Amino acid sequence: MVAYRHLGSSGLKVTEITYGNWLTHGSQVEADTAIECVRTALDLGITSFDTADTYANTKAEEVLGRALKGERRDGLEIFTKVYFPIDAKGANDSGLSRKHILRGIEGSLRRLGTDYVDLLQAHRFDDATPLEETMQAFADVVRSGKALYIGVSEWNAEQIRAGQEIATQMGFRLVSNQPQYSMLWRVIEEEVVPTSKELGMGQVVWSPMAEGVLSGKYLPGAQPPAGSRATDEEGGKEMIARWMEEPVLTAVQRLRPIAEEAGLSMAQLAVAWVLQNDNVSAALVGASRPEQLVENVKASGVRLGQDVLDAIDAALGDVVERDPSLTRSPSRRRD
């Protein structure tokens, strides 16, 4: 069964492998298959589920709500997010204004079929709205019981520190950050992770397998497998493109003997690697087929020795991205 970790320094425990439905529910896979994946996750001991209102333009929340219907609500940890526009794209339909946050949580609760979420996350930083306004709105959401905890996503260290200071003044705390993190993308390590540790925040990391590249299925010099994310015009081809360069794919193949020596698949090695970071509370893992989850949860509880970690670093070499300035949110600054 999947192990639990505390979400930052909070009292909330989440499964260290959390089911995320960013590029699957409502877009890549049919609803029936998506629901089957959620049921498989539950059978495997996953109780934490991450989504967002913007995923598949609200459809991901709807599918997740249907899949979890009938489950004991107190036995689940449901995460969602607010920031990006859905449906209409008017002046107040995006960002972290009070209006958008309060309207956003109402819509998410309706689609998810629940009266509260365990974690509501600011999907990006909003430089066009006063941070005090944003934090006051989150404080009111918490006091209303519509969200139990508040987190952020892809905020840099300076933004995290400023947000935590104001949140604390308003009687609540930010408990988590949701950044991209993998063997290939380590931009949070230099600044975000130390700041988060200091402030009692944990990382809920997305794309631990670098859009599937770290599974080893994409071979240098070969066409991507049919039906894979790299061939999906709507569900992720653009996102994965940066990892499809020859030097990256060649370096990733050097991980294969390391995984075999550790008794792991390459995908399991990738998930286990992010979980070695003690500031990581959970790794988000999606699935387009239930069997993918069955294999990936085997990374839970795996401890990699320093020799394995050193071998991974040597194999990947300079294809790893470490620049902390790449942790950033889109600008909404007013002219």
Side-chain angles (χ1 to χ4, degrees), residues 10 14 24 33 41 45 49-50 71 74 80 87 91 108 117 143 148 194 208 213-214 224 227-228 265 268 280:
S10 77
V14 299
T24 50
T33 302
F49 296 86
D50 179 85
E71 289 296 311
D74 287 347
T80 194
D87 296 322
S108 290
V117 293
R143 292 190 183 100
L148 305 185
V213 168
L214 288 169
S228 66
S265 70
Q268 290 162 359
V280 171

Side-chain angles (χ1 to χ4, degrees), residues 1-4 15-16 41-47 297-298 300-301:
M1 299 297 280
V2 182
Y4 281 85
T15 45
E16 66 178 9
L42 291 165
D43 291 342
L44 293 168
I46 294 174
T47 61
V297 298
K298 294 176 183 177
S300 180

Side-chain angles (χ1 to χ4, degrees), residues 4 39 42 46-47 49 67-78 113-114 116 118:
Y4 281 85
R39 305 309 304 177
L42 291 165
I46 294 174
T47 61
F49 296 86
L68 294 176
K69 187 176 182 179
E71 289 296 311
R72 188 176 73 87
R73 179 63 184 87
D74 287 347
L76 303 173
E77 303 83 43
I78 300 176
T114 182
Y116 74 96
D118 297 87

Side-chain angles (χ1 to χ4, degrees), residues 141-295:
V141 170
V142 171
R143 292 190 183 100
S144 71
K146 293 175 182 177
L148 305 185
Y149 297 89
I150 301 297
V152 301
S153 177
E154 293 293 357
W155 286 27
N156 65 32
E158 181 181 357
Q159 292 161 348
I160 287 171
R161 187 175 297 280
Q164 188 70 290
E165 180 179 357
I166 297 173
T168 301
Q169 293 170 0
M170 294 184 175
F172 74 102
R173 295 179 59 256
L174 301 176
V175 300
S176 63
N177 176 50
Q178 187 173 130
Q180 181 180 181
Y181 187 49
S182 71
M183 294 179 190
L184 293 172
W185 188 263
R186 308 186 192 181
V187 304
I188 64 171
E189 290 182 341
E190 183 176 333
E191 298 176 1
V192 168
V193 167
T195 299
S196 297
K197 284 184 175 181
E198 176 190 343
L199 300 177
M201 297 170 62
Q203 310 301 317
V204 177
V205 303
W206 59 273
S207 200
M209 288 183 279
E211 315 298 337
V213 168
L214 288 169
S215 71
K217 65 184 175 183
Y218 300 108
L219 302 176
Q223 289 297 311
S228 66
R229 183 168 296 174
T231 64
D232 190 339
E233 298 289 345
E234 297 182 358
K237 182 177 180 179
E238 182 178 348
M239 288 294 296
I240 201 175
R242 62 185 165 192
W243 304 127
M244 297 299 291
E245 298 178 356
E246 200 84 0
V248 175
L249 297 180
T250 298
V252 167
Q253 289 305 310
R254 293 197 289 265
L255 297 174
R256 192 173 297 279
I258 300 172
E260 291 173 353
E261 180 68 21
L264 301 169
S265 70
M266 291 180 68
Q268 290 162 359
L269 182 70
V271 176
W273 184 89
V274 300
L275 292 174
Q276 306 310 295
N277 188 320
D278 61 7
N279 190 231
V280 171
S281 296
L284 297 180
V285 174
S288 56
R289 304 185 309 276
E291 53 267 29
Q292 292 174 321
L293 281 173
V294 173
E295 286 304 306

Side-chain angles (χ1 to χ4, degrees), residues 36 45 48 70 78 127 142 253 259 318 327-328:
E36 185 181 359
S48 303
I78 300 176
D127 55 11
V142 171
Q253 289 305 310
D318 60 6
T327 300
R328 56 176 177 256

